[in-house]
Amino acid sequence: MNSKKELYSELVPKVSALIDKEANIIANLANIAAILNAELSCLWVGFYLVEGKELVVGPFQGPVACTTIAFGRGVCGKCWELKETILVDDVSQFADHIACSADSKSEIVVPVFDSNNNVQMVLDIDSSHLAAFDEEDKSGLEAIATLITALL
Ligand code: SME
């Protein structure tokens, strides 16, 4: 099996090529969710979009998820507040974790900034395994978030 470093070295250019010729942001986010779901082992992958003072669920793959998340709440709202990636090895140890699925065991949430460094959305990935995500996921997914910034 390929290492995560190899996986992302192929996945990031694939995402870039996928979104290169399309200007519609929702179309691009939907395809990014689909390719991440195909290439990573995850329970849920998708986007929560900043709408005023809350996050609203956007394109995703996986089970039905909660529709809105307030600023600072859950792992997603905390990522928005802190403006940084949050890695959670065991969601049961994250006090304010919002459980959309009882099967979720670990999670990574990556902020997506606009060109003014404001968070416009977060990329959220859940796994049914503990500690599924690490620093390689963080850097690979942050590279994908940077590709999205270029679309905004
Ligand atoms: N667990 C997230 C909520 C979103 S679902 O995982 C899809 C959170 O705590 O913010």
Side-chain angles (χ1 to χ4, degrees), residues 27-38:
N28 284 324
L29 297 181
N31 268 333
I32 293 170
I35 196 170
L36 292 178
N37 187 52

Side-chain angles (χ1 to χ4, degrees), residues 7-8 11-12 15 18 29-42 44-47 61 123-125 140-141 144-145 148:
L7 185 142
Y8 284 104
L11 181 54
V12 175
V15 170
L18 185 66
L29 297 181
N31 268 333
I32 293 170
I35 196 170
L36 292 178
N37 187 52
E39 302 265 345
L40 305 176
S41 159
C42 51
W44 194 96
V45 50
F47 297 90
Q61 302 258 323
L123 167 60
D124 178 19
I125 309 184
L141 296 169
I144 290 169
I148 298 170

Side-chain angles (χ1 to χ4, degrees), residues 75 87-99 101-107 126-127 129-131:
V75 187
L87 272 163
V88 183
D89 285 346
D90 180 352
V91 297
S92 73
Q93 301 301 308
F94 191 96
D96 197 32
H97 173 256
I98 299 165
S101 164
D103 294 333
S104 178
K105 298 278 188 292
S106 63
E107 180 163 9
D126 290 22
S127 171
H129 302 284
L130 289 167

Side-chain angles (χ1 to χ4, degrees), residues 4-5 8 85-87 89 108 131-143:
K4 280 192 178 178
K5 197 183 271 293
Y8 284 104
T85 296
I86 302 181
L87 272 163
D89 285 346
I108 184 169
F133 307 106
D134 60 20
E135 290 297 319
E136 295 294 347
D137 295 287
K138 177 177 185 287
S139 63
L141 296 169
E142 287 177 351

